[in-house]
Amino acid sequence: TTHPESVTVFSTEDLVMKCEASGVPMPSFSWTKDGKPFDPSADTELNVTKSFGSFAFSTLSKTMDTLKPNQGKYVCYATNKLGTAVSKEAILKTDVPPTQQKQKEKAVTAKSDEGSSIVLKCNPPQSSMEPIIHWMDQKMHHIQLSKRVVVGKDGNLYFAHLTMDDSRDDYTCNVQYMVTRTILAQEPITLKVNPSNSVLRNRRPHMMRPAEGESTYQALRGQTIELECIVQGLPTPEITWLKKEGELDESRTFKEMFDRRLRLSNISESDSGEYQCIAKNTQGNAKHTYHLKVEAAPYWKVIPESLIYAPGEMARLDCAAEGTPSPTISWTRNGEEISGEFLTTLFKILHVDVIFSDVFRERGASDLLDDPRLQPLPDGGLQIINVSHDDEGPYTCSVQNSNLTIIAELEVFNRTVILTPPRNQKVQPGNTAIFTCVGLYDTRLRIPQIQWRKNNQKLMESPSDEKYTFDGAEFIIANVEQDDEGVYTYTLFTLLLAFPSDRPDPPSLLQISDPRHRAISLSWTPGDDHKSAVLEYVIEFEDQDLKERSWEELMRVVGNQEHTVLSLWPYMSYRFRVIAINEVGKSDPSKPSEVHNTPAEAPDNNPQNVRSESKNPNTLLITWEKMDKRNFNGAKFEYKVLWRRSVGSGPKWHERKTTEPPVIVDDVGNFSAFEIKVQAINAIDAGPEPDPVIGYSGEDVPLEAPIGVGIELLNSTTAIVTWAAIEIESVRGHLLGYKIYLRRMGSRGHRQSRRSTEAESTVVEETGPNEKMKTISNLRPYSRYLLSVAVFNNKAEGPHSEPLPFDTKEGEPGPPTSLILDSPSETEMTLHWTPPAHPNGILTGYLLQYQQSDDGPLQNDEIDNPTITQFMLKGLDRHSQYRFYLRGITGAGNGEPIMMTGATTLDGVPPSDISLSVGETSVNVSWEAQKRHRNVGFYIHYFKKNGGWKKSERVNSSQSFYQLRGLVPGSDYLLRFFYGNASFWETGIKTEGTGKMTEVQASIATQGWFIGVVSALALLLLILLILCFIKRSKGGKYSVKDKEDGPMDSEARPMKEETFGEYSDLEEKRTASQPSLCEDNKMCSEDTLNFNGSSALTTELNLDESLASQISRPSEGPEGFRGLPDNSPLNPAIVAPTTNGMPNAIAILD
C-alpha cells in the first residue's frame, strides 16, 4: 500500500526507506539493492523497524561519510504463500548541504555608464537541489524588477540599460534551498552608474541570454520547460514569442518575468517545433530561435477495465503503451517471465490498478514457460486458452528500461448451471400446480435473479388473488384453470459484469453504551461493502436544541473499526448516525441513534479577545467575542463584566451582568486606563477566574500643537522638517504620530495676487509617534510654501502649529510645453515653442541641440533671450532627418529637453505616375502625393473635337485625387496637364457610353413646338399666382376684429428666440393686415411663397448664427442679398454654361 520513495539525503535524519503491504496471510518483506538481494538487518549501521504490514529502515550513523555506501536503487518485495508483490524502484542519493562560500576577494564593485547594459552575477553554491534566487537590498526589500531589470534562470540580475537610479551599494543575491530550508546571502555588490555628459543614444536590441542565433532544446513528454530571452537595448525592448507553423496553446503556455520567459507545461510530441523570441524597440529588432524536440518516455496509451471469465473460456489480456523510441514490453506472473520481449508501438492492458497491495499466486517458472495455453500475441497482448481457476491472479505487463508496470487481475468464476430443471405438469382444474427448479452459481457473486415466463411472457407475483407465488426454487400456480395451459420457462440470471463495485450499504444497529464523564461508547454493525472495502466511517451528531445546524461531523475512524469512544459537550441532547466510505463513494446515513443527554456543568472557559473599543470621550466600551452556545455548559448563561481604574482606585471592582456584548460605562473621564475582565457564568457556577486586560476610555481631540517647528533646505526639492516632542498628557489618547502640512503658495517670482491663483492642494505627510524629524521630497523648486505640524490620535488631529513660511531654491526648469517645426525652404527649419510650464526659477534662455540621424554629431545653439519663442536653422541637409532637443536654462542649470524629429520640406513638383479611371461623364485622376514636398497647383486642359479647349479649376498636388466632370459620353478627349506655362503630361481618353441621346435631347430643346409648350405652362402658372394674390387680398368671411379677438393661431404667434432671424416690423404689419386666406391652398403656403424677398430661406441648409444674422431682416426685392459676402452660400453664383449644354460640377443654390 506504500511504495518506498526516492530521496536525496543531506543529513543522517533524512535516510528513511519505508515499505507497506497488506494481504491474507500477512506478507513478509525483502529488499534488493541495485538488482542484488539486500538485507537491511545485516547492516550494523542501519536501524530496522518492523510492524504490522510495514518494513522500514533508517541509519544509526551520525556522519554523512558512512551513508555514501548506501546509495543505490532499492526495490521492496512483499511475499506470502499466495505470491509476491513488487514495489516501484526507489533511488537513494547523498549530497552535502549547500554552504556559504568564503569570499577570498574584496567586495564586488561594478561600474558602467548610464544607458549601457550590465549583468550582476549571483554564483549560487553548487548543489543537486534547484535554488530559488531573490535579489534584495540591505533592508531585505526585494529589488524592483521590470522589463528593464530581470532575474535570469541562472540567478544573475540583468539590466537592459542603466539609469542613475540604479546606483546603490547593497545588491544582495539570496539563495534559498527549499528542501534543506536554507537561505544563503551572498556578499553585497556595489553598482556605480556614471552619468552621461550628452544625450543618451538609443541602441537596437541585442541578446544577453542566450546569444542571437539558434539553439536546440530537448525534453520529455509530460515535463514543464522554460525558454528564456533576456535582451539589452534603449529604449527597453518588448518581447514577442511565436511558434513557427502553429500557435501557442494558451491553456498550457505562460509568459513570466515580464515576457522574458516562456513556460510550456505538460508538453507532448505536438509541441515539437521552432519557437522564436523576437525583441523590438524603435531602433530595430533581434531574435533567437529555439528548436524544441519532445521525446516520449514509455507511457500507457489505453487503460480498459478488468474482465471476468468462466472456466473453459479463452482469456485475453491486452497491454497498450507508446513512446519515442518504441518501448519493449514483457509479461510476468509471480516475478517469472511468461514470454519473450516484444517491440511494438501499441500495447494494451486491461485494468490499471498499480497497487502494491496485490499479492501474486505462486507458480513454478517451468510451468509458465512450458504451458501451451499461454500464448503471447504479436501486438503485445497475452492470450490464455481454456482458462481455469489455476490461472486466477495478477498478471504484470512491464515496459523494459522504465518504471512503468501495470497489473491486470484475472478472475475466473464458476458457470451458472441448472441442476434440476422443471418437469411437465398435468393438473385438474381447481387444483394447485408446483414447478421446482434448482440452479448452481458461484457464491462470490450476488444471489441470482429468477425469472418465470409463460409462453415467453414475463410472470409477476400477484399478491391480490394469490394466483402466482414464487417461493425460492418453487413456482406455485393456485386454482388452475383452462387459461393456465402453456409453456413455462425458468431463467436464472447471474450476469458476470452486472455487479461492479458500488457504494457501501449504511451501517445499522447503532448502540450507545458505557456513559462516563463527557464521553460514551458508540458501536454499529457494518453494511455490505459491495466488493470495495470500507476505508473509514464518519460519525455525525445532531443537537436536538439546535436542529437548525443540521447534522455535523464529530469524528472519523478507520474502516476496520466497528465502535469508538466519543467526546461530548455538557448540557447537550445528542443523536448520532454513521456513514461508511469506500473507494466508490459514501453510503447513505444510518438510522439515527436514540437521544443521549449530557448533564450541565460550570463553564470551562471565558470569552476571548476582551478589549476596549471606546470611541466617545468620557465613556468606556468593553466588548468581547461571543461564546458558542455549546460552551455554555448549562442554563441561564450570562457574562459578568468587571472593571476598575488601573491607578488610584483601590481593589474594588465594578460589576455588571449581561447576555451579550458590549457594556458601556459613562462618566469615566477621557483616556483613562482601566483593568477589565469578563467571566462566563451559568446556573451551576461561574467559569474560571479570568486574567484582567488593560483598556482605555474614549479619546478626545489633542489640546496642543507641536512647538519648535523648523526646516532645513537640502536642495531645491528636498527639506528636513523638525519639531519638539509633544507633552503626552495633552494628546488625550494614543499618540499615533504627527501630520506635516505643506501648502505651495506659488512661485517666488509672482506677485501676491498671482500667488493666490497658483495655490495648489495641500500635501500631508505622516510620521510615527516617536519621530521628531521628517525628510520631505518632491518639493517644487523656486516656490513659496507654508509649513505646519499637528499631532493626531485615534479620535482626531489637534491644532496646527503656527504656519512657517519658507522658499525653495531655484532648480532646473521643466521641458518647454510644446515644440512645432516649420520649414520655409529645403534647407531651413523654424522652431516655434512655448515656455516651460514649470520654469522652477528665473528663465535665462534656451539651449537648442540637434543632430543629423541617430549617429550624427550633436550641434548646440544657445539662446540668451528668454522671451524668444522661435528660432530658425539654416544650411540643413535637404535629404536628412533631424532630431531636435530644446531645453530651458535657469541659474541652476539646463532643464529637461523636449524632443521632436523632422525634416525640411522640399520644393513642390507636379505629380507623376498619374492614373486615370474613365466614366461616362467624368474621369477620375489619381496620383501619389509627395509627403515632404510643398503643395503646388496645376490645371487640366481637355479638348473635344468640335468643342474646343476647356480648362479645369486649380488642382493641388497634395490632393492625390481629382474628378474632371461635365464630359460627354462616348466622346474622345485629349488631356494636357499644365504646371505654370508648361505641359508636363498628356494623354487621350474616350468616355464610356454613346452620345446619341444627348444630341436628341439638344435637338428637342431647340424645336419651336417645345418652346411654345414651355411658354404656355409658364403663363398658366403666372395666372394661378395672380388668383392666389387676389384671394388673399379679399380676406375671409369673418372680420379682422374677430380674427384678433379669437385665439391666436400658432403660425401667427411672434417668433421666439429659437426661430430663424429676428421678428421684424414688416413681418408684424403683414401678419395683421393680411389674414391667412390661403390656408387651404398648398401653393400659397409659406414654404412656397415668401413676400419679403427671403425665399432662399426655404433651402434645407444648416446655417450658423453669423450667417443667419446677415439675412435676419427682410428687404424689398433681390437687393436683400447685396450685403452678403461673395462666397456666402446664399449669394447665387453665376456660371457660364458649357458649350455642350451639360452643367458644370458645381452645386448652385437656387
Side-chain angles (χ1 to χ4, degrees):
T1 54
T2 301
H3 293 260
E5 296 181 356
S6 299
V7 63
T8 300
V9 178
F10 293 94
S11 65
T12 56
E13 292 83 2
D14 296 336
L15 198 162
V16 177
M17 279 284 176
K18 188 175 183 180
C19 177
E20 293 182 356
S22 61
V24 179
M26 187 57 61
S28 60
F29 295 90
S30 61
W31 294 79
T32 63
K33 176 187 174 186
D34 296 329
K36 299 179 180 179
F38 173 70
D39 184 6
S41 304
D43 193 333
T44 58
E45 295 292 334
L46 296 179
N47 177 38
V48 176
T49 303
K50 298 181 180 180
S51 61
F52 189 74
S54 69
F55 186 105
F57 64 88
S58 57
T59 181
L60 296 173
S61 175
K62 301 298 182 182
T63 61
M64 288 293 295
D65 292 337
T66 58
L67 295 183
K68 292 183 178 179
N70 294 317
Q71 297 184 103
K73 299 178 181 180
Y74 291 83
V75 177
C76 175
Y77 296 83
T79 305
N80 65 7
K81 64 180 183 179
L82 297 179
T84 301
V86 184
S87 76
K88 296 179 181 178
E89 184 180 77
I91 301 175
L92 189 149
K93 298 180 180 178
T94 62
D95 196 359
V96 178
T99 57
Q100 185 70 52
Q101 297 175 346
K102 295 183 179 180
Q103 298 291 333
K104 299 181 180 180
E105 301 179 357
K106 296 182 179 180
V108 178
T109 300
K111 297 180 181 180
S112 189
D113 294 332
E114 181 183 6
S116 61
S117 63
I118 197 171
V119 181
L120 303 184
K121 296 187 177 299
C122 178
N123 298 324
Q126 294 293 328
S127 175
S128 60
M129 295 181 293
E130 185 75 19
I132 301 175
I133 305 298
H134 306 275
W135 282 89
M136 311 178 86
D137 58 16
Q138 60 184 1
K139 295 182 180 179
M140 298 303 290
H141 294 156
H142 283 272
I143 299 297
Q144 186 66 41
L145 302 180
S146 63
K147 294 181 180 180
R148 187 179 63 86
V149 184
V150 298
V151 177
K153 291 172 62 177
D154 57 359
N156 298 334
L157 190 63
Y158 292 83
F159 294 79
H161 64 268
L162 291 172
T163 66
M164 295 302 300
D165 294 336
D166 295 326
S167 293
R168 58 191 309 157
D169 58 0
D170 58 353
Y171 286 98
T172 306
C173 176
N174 294 270
V175 186
Q176 180 181 11
Y177 296 95
M178 298 297 293
V179 176
T180 59
R181 299 179 181 178
T182 304
I183 298 180
L184 304 177
Q186 308 293 79
E187 282 293 323
I189 300 176
T190 299
L191 176 60
K192 295 182 179 179
V193 181
N194 302 321
S196 175
N197 295 326
S198 61
V199 177
L200 296 178
R201 293 177 55 186
N202 291 349
R203 294 178 291 106
R204 65 180 295 273
H206 287 282
M207 289 289 171
M208 301 179 72
R209 174 183 170 91
E212 292 188 35
E214 300 181 355
S215 58
T216 300
Y217 205 114
Q218 289 187 339
L220 289 178
R221 180 182 184 272
Q223 290 184 337
T224 297
I225 64 169
E226 284 187 347
L227 307 179
E228 185 176 46
C229 262
I230 301 179
V231 293
Q232 59 169 292
L234 179 64
T236 304
E238 298 287 339
I239 297 293
T240 303
W241 290 92
L242 300 175
K243 182 183 180 184
K244 198 171 182 180
E245 299 179 356
E247 296 183 356
L248 298 176
D249 187 348
E250 295 183 358
S251 63
R252 298 185 296 105
T253 305
F254 307 93
K255 297 176 183 177
E256 299 174 344
M257 192 56 68
F258 308 97
D259 295 346
R260 268 54 183 172
R261 294 181 194 168
L262 181 69
R263 179 162 60 91
L264 303 174
S265 63
N266 192 22
I267 61 174
S268 62
E269 293 87 340
S270 62
D271 294 318
S272 297
E274 292 186 10
Y275 292 80
Q276 283 191 344
C277 161
I278 303 175
K280 292 183 180 179
N281 66 6
T282 56
Q283 306 303 307
N285 60 71
K287 69 178 180 179
H288 181 88
T289 301
Y290 283 99
H291 296 274
L292 176 61
K293 183 179 180 181
V294 180
E295 295 184 348
Y299 62 95
W300 300 119
K301 180 67 175 178
V302 179
I303 305 178
E305 299 177 352
S306 293
L307 293 179
I308 301 174
Y309 295 94
E313 293 183 341
M314 182 178 67
R316 174 173 173 143
L317 304 178
D318 295 323
C319 188
E322 283 189 356
T324 305
S326 299
T328 300
I329 69 167
S330 61
W331 282 95
T332 58
R333 185 178 180 207
N334 298 328
E336 300 294 338
E337 187 172 328
I338 295 177
S339 59
E341 299 179 353
F342 296 91
L343 182 63
T344 178
T345 58
L346 179 63
F347 313 117
K348 298 180 180 177
I349 189 167
L350 302 179
H351 194 67
V352 290
D353 293 334
V354 185
I355 50 177
F356 189 46
S357 59
D358 288 337
V359 179
F360 293 178
R361 182 182 180 88
E362 288 190 350
R363 195 171 182 181
S366 60
D367 295 339
L368 295 176
L369 294 174
D370 299 336
D371 193 340
R373 297 181 305 107
L374 277 63
Q375 298 178 0
L377 300 177
D379 62 357
L382 178 65
Q383 180 174 283
I384 306 176
I385 302 174
N386 193 20
V387 68
S388 66
H389 286 290
D390 292 338
D391 298 316
E392 287 186 320
Y395 289 77
T396 304
C397 173
S398 304
V399 178
Q400 294 189 0
N401 301 322
S402 74
N403 293 326
L404 286 182
T405 298
I406 289 187
I407 300 174
E409 187 74 26
L410 175 62
E411 294 183 78
V412 181
F413 288 82
N414 291 324
R415 293 180 181 274
T416 300
V417 295
I418 297 176
L419 300 178
T420 305
R423 297 180 179 180
N424 297 332
Q425 298 277 348
K426 291 182 179 181
V427 182
Q428 294 293 329
N431 292 338
T432 300
I434 300 176
F435 291 101
T436 302
C437 187
V438 179
L440 179 65
Y441 62 93
D442 198 306
T443 57
R444 290 176 294 174
L445 299 175
R446 289 187 176 183
I447 297 175
Q449 298 179 5
I450 298 174
Q451 179 66 63
W452 284 91
R453 296 173 181 264
K454 175 189 174 184
N455 298 330
N456 208 28
Q457 298 295 321
K458 290 183 180 180
L459 295 177
M460 307 298 293
E461 193 168 12
S462 51
S464 59
D465 56 5
E466 297 182 353
K467 181 68 174 178
Y468 301 130
T469 302
F470 304 104
D471 186 9
E474 293 184 344
F475 170 47
I476 304 172
I477 306 175
N479 192 18
V480 174
E481 300 173 356
Q482 190 71 26
D483 293 339
D484 293 326
E485 286 187 352
V487 178
Y488 289 81
T489 307
Y490 170 86
T491 307
L492 184 65
F493 291 99
T494 53
L495 297 178
L496 297 179
L497 297 179
F499 306 105
S501 299
D502 199 357
R503 297 186 307 131
D505 289 340
S508 59
L509 302 177
L510 272 65
Q511 293 184 353
I512 298 175
S513 61
D514 193 19
R516 65 195 82 167
H517 181 253
R518 298 194 183 186
I520 60 164
S521 293
L522 179 68
S523 62
W524 59 89
T525 300
D528 190 346
D529 62 7
H530 295 301
K531 299 184 64 177
S532 178
V534 174
L535 302 177
E536 61 180 351
Y537 291 100
V538 179
I539 294 92
E540 296 182 336
F541 74 95
E542 182 184 51
D543 186 352
Q544 301 304 293
D545 297 329
L546 293 173
K547 287 190 175 182
E548 64 273 10
R549 292 194 179 186
S550 187
W551 290 90
E552 302 177 59
E553 182 176 320
L554 183 60
M555 69 178 301
R556 295 187 176 217
V557 297
V558 295
N560 56 4
Q561 285 188 224
E562 298 178 10
H563 65 87
T564 188
V565 177
L566 304 178
S567 298
L568 307 178
W569 284 283
Y571 195 62
M572 280 185 61
S573 181
Y574 285 94
R575 281 204 312 168
F576 304 98
R577 69 183 189 185
V578 182
I579 299 173
I581 301 177
N582 63 9
E583 290 184 348
V584 180
K586 291 184 178 181
S587 72
D588 294 331
S590 67
K591 293 181 179 180
S593 69
E594 61 186 16
V595 176
H596 176 76
N597 297 311
T598 55
E601 299 180 13
D604 295 327
N605 45 51
N606 293 309
Q608 300 294 316
N609 197 18
V610 178
R611 62 197 184 277
S612 169
E613 291 186 353
S614 307
K615 296 182 179 179
N616 297 323
N618 201 31
T619 61
L620 175 66
L621 187 148
I622 304 172
T623 188
W624 58 91
E625 292 182 3
K626 295 177 66 175
M627 295 176 60
D628 191 292
K629 190 175 181 180
R630 289 172 182 160
N631 294 320
F632 289 0
N633 291 4
K636 297 181 180 180
F637 179 84
E638 290 182 307
Y639 301 100
K640 184 168 70 173
V641 184
L642 303 99
W643 71 93
R644 69 180 181 184
R645 292 186 183 273
S646 59
V647 178
S649 62
K652 181 180 178 181
W653 286 91
H654 302 276
E655 178 182 313
R656 187 181 300 176
K657 294 181 180 179
T658 182
T659 57
E660 61 181 15
V663 168
I664 300 177
V665 184
D666 297 322
D667 300 326
V668 294
N670 296 326
F671 197 63
S672 300
F674 287 84
E675 290 183 287
I676 56 178
K677 57 184 180 179
V678 181
Q679 188 177 26
I681 59 175
N682 62 17
I684 302 299
D685 202 353
E689 184 66 25
D691 294 327
V693 297
I694 300 297
Y696 290 85
S697 57
E699 302 182 34
D700 207 345
V701 179
L703 293 175
E704 298 179 2
I707 59 176
V709 177
I711 190 164
E712 178 185 355
L713 297 176
L714 300 181
N715 51 46
S716 61
T717 60
T718 307
I720 298 178
V721 180
T722 58
W723 59 89
I726 195 75
E727 293 291 336
I728 197 66
E729 293 81 7
S730 68
V731 179
R732 300 201 294 181
H734 292 284
L735 176 60
L736 300 182
Y738 299 86
K739 291 186 179 181
I740 303 171
Y741 287 81
L742 288 164
R743 183 183 179 189
R744 183 175 181 271
M745 305 305 295
S747 175
R748 288 167 50 186
H750 294 151
R751 296 187 298 274
Q752 181 65 30
S753 60
R754 179 64 181 274
R755 285 205 308 268
S756 62
T757 62
E758 277 199 3
E760 298 177 359
S761 59
T762 302
V763 177
V764 182
E765 295 277 351
E766 292 188 4
T767 71
N770 299 322
E771 295 185 55
K772 299 179 183 178
M773 60 180 295
K774 178 72 173 181
T775 301
I776 308 297
S777 303
N778 299 322
L779 298 175
R780 286 273 295 276
Y782 203 67
S783 299
R784 295 184 181 276
Y785 280 91
L786 283 182
L787 166 69
S788 62
V789 183
V791 67
F792 68 99
N793 58 21
N794 285 315
K795 178 69 175 179
E797 64 181 60
H800 289 214
S801 63
E802 187 70 22
L804 175 65
F806 68 93
D807 296 340
T808 54
K809 301 177 182 179
E810 189 175 28
E812 298 174 354
T817 306
S818 65
L819 178 61
I820 300 175
L821 306 180
D822 181 24
S823 175
S825 71
E826 293 187 342
T827 59
E828 296 177 331
M829 182 72 77
T830 302
L831 284 73
H832 302 267
W833 66 86
T834 53
H838 302 295
N840 298 337
I842 300 176
L843 204 63
T844 60
Y846 296 92
L847 174 63
L848 174 62
Q849 298 174 304
Y850 59 98
Q851 61 181 155
Q852 188 174 348
S853 71
D854 294 331
D855 302 326
L858 201 63
Q859 303 183 49
N860 298 330
D861 279 320
E862 190 163 340
I863 304 169
D864 297 332
N865 189 350
T867 62
I868 292 178
T869 58
Q870 67 179 31
F871 189 79
M872 176 178 285
L873 295 173
K874 300 182 178 180
L876 302 179
D877 184 2
R878 62 190 294 269
H879 299 292
S880 299
Q881 285 270 357
Y882 284 85
R883 183 166 293 175
F884 302 92
Y885 304 88
L886 183 66
R887 310 167 186 263
I889 304 175
T890 64
N894 300 336
E896 299 178 12
I898 183 174
M899 190 272 288
M900 183 70 70
T901 300
T904 58
T905 303
L906 304 179
D907 292 338
V909 293
S912 59
D913 296 331
I914 299 174
S915 300
L916 302 178
S917 177
V918 182
E920 288 189 359
T921 61
S922 63
V923 57
N924 293 334
V925 185
S926 59
W927 61 92
E928 184 176 355
Q930 301 294 328
K931 294 182 179 180
R932 284 189 55 195
H933 289 259
R934 300 182 189 280
N935 178 56
V936 297
F938 64 92
Y939 295 87
I940 303 175
H941 294 245
Y942 55 100
F943 173 79
K944 177 179 177 293
K945 186 177 181 181
N946 300 327
W949 282 96
K950 294 182 182 180
K951 178 181 177 183
S952 71
E953 59 184 328
R954 174 188 167 96
V955 183
N956 295 322
S957 61
S958 59
Q959 292 178 216
S960 76
F961 176 81
Y962 178 76
Q963 186 179 61
L964 183 64
R965 291 182 283 182
L967 306 181
V968 178
S971 302
D972 292 318
Y973 283 89
L974 177 63
L975 305 183
R976 286 182 181 174
F977 291 71
F978 280 85
Y979 171 57
N981 296 324
S983 171
F984 64 88
W985 192 69
E986 73 174 47
T987 185
I989 65 170
K990 182 173 183 177
T991 56
E992 296 182 356
T994 174
K996 294 182 179 180
M997 183 61 67
T998 304
E999 295 175 0
V1000 171
Q1001 291 179 350
S1003 61
I1004 292 176
T1006 57
Q1007 297 297 320
W1009 63 270
F1010 179 75
I1011 297 174
V1013 172
V1014 173
S1015 301
L1017 291 175
L1019 180 60
L1020 180 59
L1021 178 61
L1022 179 60
I1023 294 172
L1024 289 176
L1025 291 176
I1026 294 173
L1027 291 176
C1028 185
F1029 293 155
I1030 295 173
K1031 186 175 181 181
R1032 287 178 61 95
S1033 62
K1034 288 182 178 181
K1037 296 182 180 180
Y1038 47 88
S1039 63
V1040 174
K1041 177 65 175 178
D1042 294 338
K1043 177 72 174 182
E1044 294 176 351
D1045 293 343
M1048 181 178 292
D1049 188 87
S1050 60
E1051 296 183 358
R1053 295 175 183 169
M1055 289 187 289
K1056 305 293 183 181
E1057 292 181 358
E1058 65 269 20
T1059 58
F1060 186 78
E1062 301 177 0
Y1063 186 78
S1064 66
D1065 296 339
L1066 179 60
E1067 179 69 15
E1068 183 177 357
K1069 291 177 183 180
R1070 185 185 63 80
T1071 304
S1073 61
Q1074 298 179 0
S1076 179
L1077 301 182
C1078 293
E1079 294 176 352
D1080 298 331
N1081 192 342
K1082 295 183 179 179
M1083 295 189 63
C1084 297
S1085 65
E1086 291 192 14
D1087 289 340
T1088 306
L1089 301 176
N1090 194 328
F1091 297 100
N1092 58 5
S1094 302
S1095 62
L1097 299 181
T1098 62
T1099 305
E1100 295 182 2
L1101 293 175
N1102 295 323
L1103 306 180
D1104 58 16
E1105 292 183 1
S1106 61
L1107 182 59
S1109 63
Q1110 298 178 37
I1111 59 175
S1112 60
R1113 292 193 176 276
S1115 59
E1116 298 295 335
E1119 289 80 1
F1121 289 95
R1122 292 178 182 174
L1124 297 179
D1126 293 339
N1127 59 352
S1128 171
L1130 298 185
N1131 194 355
I1134 301 174
V1135 181
T1138 59
T1139 57
N1140 57 7
M1142 299 299 294
N1144 278 346
I1146 300 176
I1148 302 175
L1149 178 63
D1150 189 358

